[in-house]
Every structure is written in C-alpha cells, then in structure tokens.
C-alpha cells in the first residue's frame, strides 16, 4: 500500500478522490454505451451495404463477361481507357462523443454516355450497361469504406474506454478505498489510545487529589 499520512485531512482528501474516480468511471460508462449503440448502428448498415455490394458486383461482372463475349475486344479496351479518370472525394468528419468519424462528400460516379468519353458510334448498349453497373459498384465501395473506417474508429475508442473503466474499477478505486479504510482505522485506534491515556491521567489526578486531602 502507498504510504499515506493517517490524518483527518488525508481521509477527506481520499474520500474526494474516490468520489471523483467513481464519477469519472460513470461518465466513461455512459460514453461507452453511446459509442456501442452507434457502433452497432453502423455495423448493421455496413452489413446491409456489403450484401448489396456483392449483388451489384456480381451483376456488373456478368454484364462485363457478356460484353466481352459478344462485342469487339479492341472496342471494349479502347472504351475502358477512354473512361479512366480520378475519383475526387471530399472527406470531412462528424463527432460522436469525441470520436471523429469520416463523412465522404462525393458526386455520384454514374455518368451519361457522353460524359464517359468513348464514342457512341461503334459501341453497343451492353457497354453502356456494363459501365453503369461498375459505376454503381464504385459508389457502393466508397460508401462501404466510409462505414468501415467509422467502425474501426468507434471500435478502437470503445476498447480504450473499456480499459480505462477497468483500470478505475479494478485498480484505482479499490486502492483508494483501501487507503481510506486504513486511515479511518488508524484514526479510530489513535482516538481509543488517546481516550485510554486521558482516563488513566484522570485516575492519577483523582488519586493525587485524594492523597492530598488525607
């Protein structure tokens, strides 16, 4: 046990520390409850989006295979190079109980035939359909990445909060209570000793008083 000074002032100090530690623990618990609730909300949305993505990706792949089987491969390759472009994203964050989670601001990837960059003449509707489905898949991938990042950050904060709560509950608060109990017992023992000495002194004084009278 940490060396403590068994005085009333020290006991008051320890009781104040216990109260503060318990308040901190309760606040961390409340924060963790909110974070866990938010985490499961995001996870549920992530799970739905992932299932949707698998279906969209399978559909897009099927359209691509069909286009490759029917259309001219050189035309397909030329169209794929023509449609290449960087994806511009703007990422900001929103705050959940002190945890910044990303919010991706983006324009939809879906474009018109003219915007894709390849010529309308010489290409089929199958190519347009394939491009549209892969653009939809890219939209969903970006949305999924946003949710996954939010889950990772919330999960990390939940774990850190749990460690803090455990440290307060299992280490700091019990130790402070042991110290407070030790101080209280020491004070009570000292008071009993003082009372015993006072009674003894009182008896001695009374005896001396009686002897002087005689």
């Amino acid at each position: 046990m940490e060396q403590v000074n068994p005085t009333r002032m020290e006991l008051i100090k320890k009781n104040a520390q216990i109260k503060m530690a318990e308040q901190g623990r309760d606040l961390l618990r409340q924060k963790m409850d909110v974070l866990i609730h938010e985490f499961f909300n995001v996870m549920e949305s992530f799970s739905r989006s992932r299932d949707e993505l698998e279906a969209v990706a399978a559909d897009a792949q099927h359209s691509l295979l069909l286009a490759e089987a029917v259309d001219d491969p050189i035309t397909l390759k030329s169209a794929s190079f023509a449609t290449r472009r960087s994806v511009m994203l703007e990422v900001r964050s929103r705050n959940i109980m002190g945890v910044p989670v990303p919010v991706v601001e983006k324009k939809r990837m879906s474009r018109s035939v003219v915007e894709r960059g390849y010529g309308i003449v010489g290409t089929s509707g199958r190519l347009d359909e394939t491009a549209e489905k892969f653009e939809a898949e890219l939209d969903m991938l970006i949305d999924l990445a946003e949710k996954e990042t939010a889950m990772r950050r919330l999960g990390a904060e939940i774990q850190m909060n749990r460690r803090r709560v455990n440290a307060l509950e299992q280490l700091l608060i019990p130790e402070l209570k042991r110290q407070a109990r030790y101080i209280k017992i020491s004070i009570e023992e000292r008071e009993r000793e003082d009372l015993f000495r006072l009674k003894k002194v009182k008896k001695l004084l009374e005896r001396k008083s009686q002897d002087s009278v005689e």
Side-chain angles (χ1 to χ4, degrees):
M1 181 184 289
E2 179 189 335
Q3 203 63 28
V4 292
N5 190 16
T7 63
R8 291 195 177 278
M9 284 301 297
E10 189 67 20
L11 182 59
I12 292 170
K13 178 183 171 183
K14 291 298 172 186
N15 285 332
Q17 289 175 338
I18 291 168
K19 185 176 181 181
M20 187 178 298
E22 288 176 338
Q23 287 174 342
R25 176 203 60 196
D26 293 342
L27 287 172
L28 285 172
R29 279 178 175 171
Q30 291 171 15
K31 178 180 179 179
M32 196 159 61
D33 288 343
V34 174
L35 291 174
I36 289 172
H37 178 73
E38 187 68 25
F39 177 85
F40 280 108
N41 282 342
V42 176
M43 187 174 70
E44 186 179 348
S45 178
F46 176 84
S47 181
R48 286 196 306 268
S49 296
R50 187 175 56 187
D51 292 341
E52 292 171 10
L53 175 63
E54 288 176 0
V56 169
D59 193 27
Q61 190 64 30
H62 178 267
S63 293
L64 177 61
L65 291 173
L66 183 61
E68 286 175 338
V70 178
D71 295 332
D72 178 31
I74 296 176
T75 303
L76 287 175
K77 191 171 184 179
S78 298
S80 69
F81 280 114
T83 56
R84 283 187 177 180
R85 67 167 184 170
S86 59
V87 178
M88 302 299 293
L89 301 175
E90 182 182 340
V91 182
R92 59 182 180 83
S93 66
R94 65 187 179 99
N95 194 293
I96 302 175
M97 297 296 289
V99 183
V101 297
V103 177
V104 179
E105 299 288 347
K106 65 181 188 303
K107 294 181 179 179
R108 291 190 62 80
M109 296 298 107
S110 299
R111 292 175 288 174
S112 67
V113 176
V114 176
E115 289 173 329
R116 289 185 185 124
Y118 56 79
I120 300 175
V121 178
T123 57
S124 67
R126 284 180 296 274
L127 179 59
D128 299 334
E129 184 182 349
T130 301
E132 184 178 340
K133 288 179 179 179
F134 274 100
E135 287 163 359
E137 182 181 350
L138 182 56
D139 271 327
M140 297 189 73
L141 277 169
I142 294 169
D143 181 60
L144 211 61
E146 175 187 320
K147 291 171 182 174
E148 184 176 1
T149 304
M151 283 171 57
R152 288 180 184 276
R153 291 187 180 179
L154 289 170
E157 187 70 16
I158 289 167
Q159 289 298 324
M160 185 169 65
N161 267 36
R162 184 174 284 116
R163 286 194 294 269
R164 288 173 177 170
V165 169
N166 288 341
L168 287 169
E169 248 179 3
Q170 299 172 17
L171 298 174
L172 182 60
I173 293 173
E175 177 61 23
L176 288 172
K177 286 184 175 179
R178 278 194 294 270
Q179 291 176 4
R181 189 161 54 248
Y182 164 76
I183 294 170
K184 186 178 179 182
I185 290 171
S186 298
I187 291 172
E188 289 174 349
E189 187 175 337
R190 190 166 60 238
E191 286 177 345
R192 282 195 298 270
E193 288 174 355
D194 289 344
L195 183 60
F196 175 77
R197 281 195 294 269
L198 283 172
K199 286 181 178 179
K200 195 171 182 181
V201 169
K202 184 180 178 182
K203 284 183 180 180
L204 286 172
L205 291 173
E206 287 175 348
R207 188 176 300 167
K208 283 183 179 181
S209 176
Q210 287 176 359
D211 290 345
S212 64
V213 170
E214 292 174 359

